[in-house]
């Protein structure tokens, strides 16, 4: 592999691109991720759907590029694993499948967002608690449910909740389970966080 620019030269190109043309670092990362995803897709026969892909991310902006690439490939249906390294030690985190729905929120009451997904195929919630890094899985729902997590009782903790055919099923962290009939089977659930 032939290097075109050194790391220092690339850093300077990024800096000048931002200063001279007003293109933010985030836009540069997104552009790099989408361009790399297009090449990977072409190399894999036109689609990454269902393919297993491992992305290695170092520290700094290149790590950000790799993380953005992993997200783009995941959105295109790939099963993605990411290896993170800032000190030459590798940490591998396999997380989710392409059909999982992101449902981030504070599930462990530490005031920070936890990484979480809802697996619609089996109604299972998978949460990596930010406080201790533990993986917690709970079945709350069934195939086809729409996840609508939120703080339904005002305790500051995200509650697991699903909407199914006009009925809300809420598993409140402190008060237990609540079932509320509200709406019609043809309604679409919209969590309060999505309202203007």
């Amino acid at each position: 592999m032939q290097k075109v620019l050194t790391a220092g030269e690339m850093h300077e190109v990024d800096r000048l691109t931002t200063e001279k043309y007003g293109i933010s670092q985030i836009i540069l990362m997104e552009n790099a991720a989408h361009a790399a995803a297009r090449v990977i897709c072409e190399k894999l026969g036109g689609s990454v759907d269902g393919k297993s892909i491992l992305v290695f991310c170092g520290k700094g902006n290149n790590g950000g590029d790799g993380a953005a690439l992993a997200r783009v490939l995941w959105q295109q249906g790939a099963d993605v694993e990411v290896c993170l390294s800032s000190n030459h030690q590798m940490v591998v985190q396999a997380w989710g499948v392409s059909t999982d729905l992101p449902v981030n929120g504070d599930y462990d009451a530490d005031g920070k967002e936890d990484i979480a997904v809802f697996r619609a195929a089996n109604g299972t919630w998978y949460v990596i608690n930010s406080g201790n890094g533990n993986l917690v899985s709970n079945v709350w729902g069934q195939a086809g449910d729409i996840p609508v997590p939120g703080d339904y009782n005002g305790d500051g903790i995200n509650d697991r909740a699903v909407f199914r055919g006009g009925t809300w099923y809420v598993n409140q962290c402190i008060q237990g389970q609540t079932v509320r009939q509200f709406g019609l089977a043809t309604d679409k659930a919209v969590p309060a966080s999505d309202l203007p």
Side-chain angles (χ1 to χ4, degrees):
M1 180 165 132
Q2 179 183 359
K3 290 185 179 179
V4 177
L5 298 173
T6 66
E9 291 169 334
M10 191 68 241
H11 179 73
E12 183 66 8
V13 168
D14 284 349
R15 185 186 68 76
L16 289 173
T17 301
T18 298
E19 287 179 12
K20 189 172 183 178
Y21 299 105
I23 300 172
S24 71
Q25 292 292 318
I26 292 293
I27 297 298
L28 289 174
M29 283 184 193
E30 285 297 308
N31 289 343
H34 284 277
R38 278 192 300 275
V39 171
I40 291 168
C41 192
E42 288 172 12
K43 296 285 185 186
L44 294 176
S47 174
V48 295
D49 190 30
K51 302 277 191 334
S52 295
I53 297 177
L54 178 61
V55 178
F56 290 91
C57 299
K59 62 183 181 178
N61 288 349
N62 286 339
D65 293 343
L69 171 62
R71 178 184 42 78
V72 170
L73 293 170
W74 175 77
Q75 289 172 328
Q76 293 177 358
D79 293 322
V80 179
E81 290 187 27
V82 178
C83 290
L84 304 173
S85 175
S86 61
N87 59 1
H88 304 292
Q89 295 179 351
M90 297 308 254
V91 176
V92 178
Q93 178 66 58
W95 186 244
V97 297
S98 61
T99 55
D100 286 348
L101 302 170
V103 289
N104 293 357
D106 183 8
Y107 293 92
D108 61 355
D110 67 351
K112 299 177 190 171
E113 290 280 308
D114 302 314
I115 298 172
V117 296
F118 175 74
R119 189 155 298 157
N122 62 9
T124 303
W125 298 71
Y126 297 93
V127 179
I128 297 178
N129 288 330
S130 56
N132 58 20
N134 288 342
L135 172 64
V136 177
S137 65
N138 301 94
V139 175
W140 184 252
Q142 62 187 32
D145 284 353
I146 300 168
V148 287
D151 181 8
Y152 288 94
N153 57 1
D155 63 0
I157 304 171
N158 241 32
D159 300 310
R160 290 162 180 83
V162 295
F163 179 76
R164 181 185 317 137
T167 303
W168 293 71
Y169 299 86
V170 180
N171 189 356
Q172 296 175 340
C173 296
I174 294 174
Q175 297 167 325
Q177 302 171 1
T178 302
V179 178
R180 297 260 195 264
Q181 178 68 40
F182 181 77
L184 303 172
T186 56
D187 287 347
K188 179 178 178 184
V190 180
S193 61
D194 291 345
L195 297 175

